[in-house]
Amino acid sequence: MASISSFTQFHCNPVGLIAPQSPSTSKPSVFPVKSTIFASKMAALRSFPNRGLANPKKKFVVRAVSDDEWGEEKKEPLSAGVAVVEDEPAVLTETDVLKKQLVDSFYGTNRGLGASSETRAEVVELITQLEAKNPTPAPTEALTLLNGKWVLAYTSFIGLFPLLSRGTLPLVKVEEICQTIDSESFTVQNSVVFSGPLATTSFSTNAKFEVRSPKRVQIKFEEGIIGTPQLTDSIVLPENVEFLGQKIDLTPFKGLITSLQDTASSVVKSISSQPPLKFSLANSNAESWLLTTYLDSELRISRGEAGSIFVLIKEGSPLLKP
C-alpha cells in the first residue's frame, strides 16, 4: 500500500540572504546585524512569511510512494490528490466457514436421501454449531428475513424420501423443492418441480401460518395445485431406465421418438393454455408446525415433527452455486 512519504518545506531564507553565523564561528555575516536593510527585510518576513521566497506560490503537497519507488519524485497538488485504498480480501467469520462446510456436506446426497450415516452425523454436528451462533434468536419477530423463496438443500424428513427416491417415477426427475413465504399475508407455498422427457410440471400447496412463539409457527394447508405441464419441443430418451430395481432397455422405443415429437408439438399449445388444477386441503389433518432454529439473510434451518430437519437456502445466494 502506498504511504505518505514527505512534505515539501518552506525555505525561510530569502534569496541572497545568509543567516547570521553561530557564535562559535569567526566568519562575519555578509550584512551587519544593525543594517537597516536587513532589519526591514526581516520585519517584512515576520509580517508576511511568503514574501521574498523564490517560489511564493509553492504549497504543501502529499506524495504517495510505492514500496519500490525511490526515484524521481512525482508531486501533485493536494487538492487534486486521491486517496487510494487497496482492496483487502474478505475475512470469513467462523459462521461463514460453518455454513460453507454444511452446504459442502450435502454434495451427492440428493437432498439427504442418499446421505450415509457418517454424513448425517456430520450434518447434525454442523447444524448444532450453527444453531448455537444463531444471529436471529426470535425469527418470528424478524418476518422480513423470512420473506422470499427458499430452496430445499437437505432434509431428514422421511415423508419426502418416496418423492426423491430414484426409480419411483421412471424418467421423472425432481428439479427443485422450494418454499415461498409472504410475511405480509402470512402465507406459505410449498412447491415441487418435476421434469421428464415430454414435459415439466409442478405440484404446490398453499397454506396460512400463525406465529405461536418466537421460533415456532403453525401451518394450516388450504389447497393443492397441479401446475400446467410445459411440454418440450424435443424428446430425449436414455438408453435404459431403472424401475423397481430392474433395468429396462429403451432402444426398441427410439423409433417412436419422431412421432412423439410431432404429437407433443401439436398439443403443447392446447395444454399450456389450460389453467392449473386446484383442489381443497381443508381438513383437520392438513396442519403442521415448524421451529426455526437458525436464520440469516441466506440460510434457514428448521426442525419439524419427529425431529426432522430442513435446511433451506435463499434464492440468489452464492451458497446455491456448486
Side-chain angles (χ1 to χ4, degrees):
M1 179 180 294
S3 61
I4 299 176
S5 65
S6 62
F7 292 87
T8 58
Q9 299 180 348
F10 286 115
H11 299 283
C12 296
N13 292 333
V15 176
L17 180 64
I18 301 177
Q21 302 294 320
S22 62
S24 61
T25 179
S26 60
K27 294 182 179 179
S29 60
V30 175
F31 297 98
V33 175
K34 295 183 180 180
S35 170
T36 55
I37 298 176
F38 176 80
S40 62
K41 285 188 177 184
M42 291 301 295
L45 285 173
R46 283 192 293 269
S47 301
F48 303 97
N50 286 337
R51 290 188 179 182
L53 296 178
N55 186 6
K57 295 184 179 180
K58 185 176 292 185
K59 302 179 180 179
F60 283 103
V61 297
V62 179
R63 182 169 66 88
V65 181
S66 62
D67 292 341
D68 59 351
E69 182 182 357
W70 297 100
E72 183 180 356
E73 290 188 351
K74 295 181 180 179
K75 302 178 181 179
E76 294 182 358
L78 185 59
S79 59
V82 178
V84 178
V85 180
E86 293 182 354
D87 293 332
E88 295 183 358
V91 178
L92 294 179
T93 65
E94 185 178 353
T95 301
D96 293 331
V97 174
L98 286 173
K99 290 196 295 185
K100 184 65 168 58
Q101 290 176 342
L102 178 63
V103 173
D104 288 346
S105 68
F106 301 154
Y107 180 78
T109 66
N110 190 20
R111 301 179 183 88
L113 172 66
S116 64
S117 58
E118 292 82 3
T119 299
R120 292 183 186 280
E122 179 186 357
V123 168
V124 170
E125 175 61 26
L126 291 170
I127 285 177
T128 302
Q129 293 183 50
L130 279 170
E131 288 174 337
K133 299 179 179 297
N134 184 16
T136 314
T140 59
E141 297 175 7
L143 292 179
T144 53
L145 274 179
L146 288 170
N147 270 336
K149 180 179 177 180
W150 297 86
V151 179
L152 181 69
Y154 178 91
T155 185
S156 63
F157 180 50
I158 60 175
L160 284 179
F161 285 178
L163 180 67
L164 298 174
S165 179
R166 299 175 182 176
T168 301
L169 299 173
L171 303 179
V172 176
K173 178 183 178 183
V174 177
E175 291 288 346
E176 183 181 76
I177 301 177
C178 62
Q179 185 177 75
T180 303
I181 299 176
D182 186 342
S183 64
E184 294 185 359
S185 60
F186 289 88
T187 59
V188 178
Q189 183 182 72
N190 296 328
S191 181
V192 183
V193 178
F194 301 94
S195 67
L198 297 176
T200 61
T201 189
S202 64
F203 175 73
S204 305
T205 58
N206 290 337
K208 288 279 189 178
F209 72 88
E210 297 178 0
V211 175
R212 295 294 176 87
S213 76
K215 292 184 177 181
R216 178 172 170 167
V217 296
Q218 189 74 16
I219 300 174
K220 184 176 182 179
F221 298 96
E222 296 183 335
E223 66 176 0
I225 304 172
I226 298 178
T228 302
Q230 302 297 315
L231 301 184
T232 57
D233 291 333
S234 61
I235 301 171
V236 178
L237 291 177
E239 294 289 337
N240 54 70
V241 64
E242 186 174 339
F243 180 59
L244 299 177
Q246 300 293 324
K247 285 189 176 181
I248 301 176
D249 185 11
L250 297 181
T251 303
F253 299 98
K254 292 204 171 183
L256 301 175
I257 291 180
T258 303
S259 60
L260 287 174
Q261 285 178 327
D262 295 339
T263 303
S265 298
S266 64
V267 301
V268 63
K269 292 183 179 179
S270 60
I271 293 181
S272 61
S273 63
Q274 299 298 317
L277 176 62
K278 299 182 179 181
F279 53 93
S280 176
L281 294 175
N283 59 66
S284 58
N285 295 324
E287 291 190 15
S288 183
W289 58 268
L290 277 179
L291 195 68
T292 299
T293 56
Y294 181 92
L295 176 65
D296 63 21
S297 61
E298 62 178 357
L299 183 70
R300 176 161 64 96
I301 300 173
S302 297
R303 293 182 180 266
E305 298 175 359
S308 54
I309 296 173
F310 301 88
V311 180
L312 302 101
I313 301 174
K314 195 69 162 290
E315 183 181 43
S317 168
L319 292 175
L320 283 174
K321 298 178 181 179

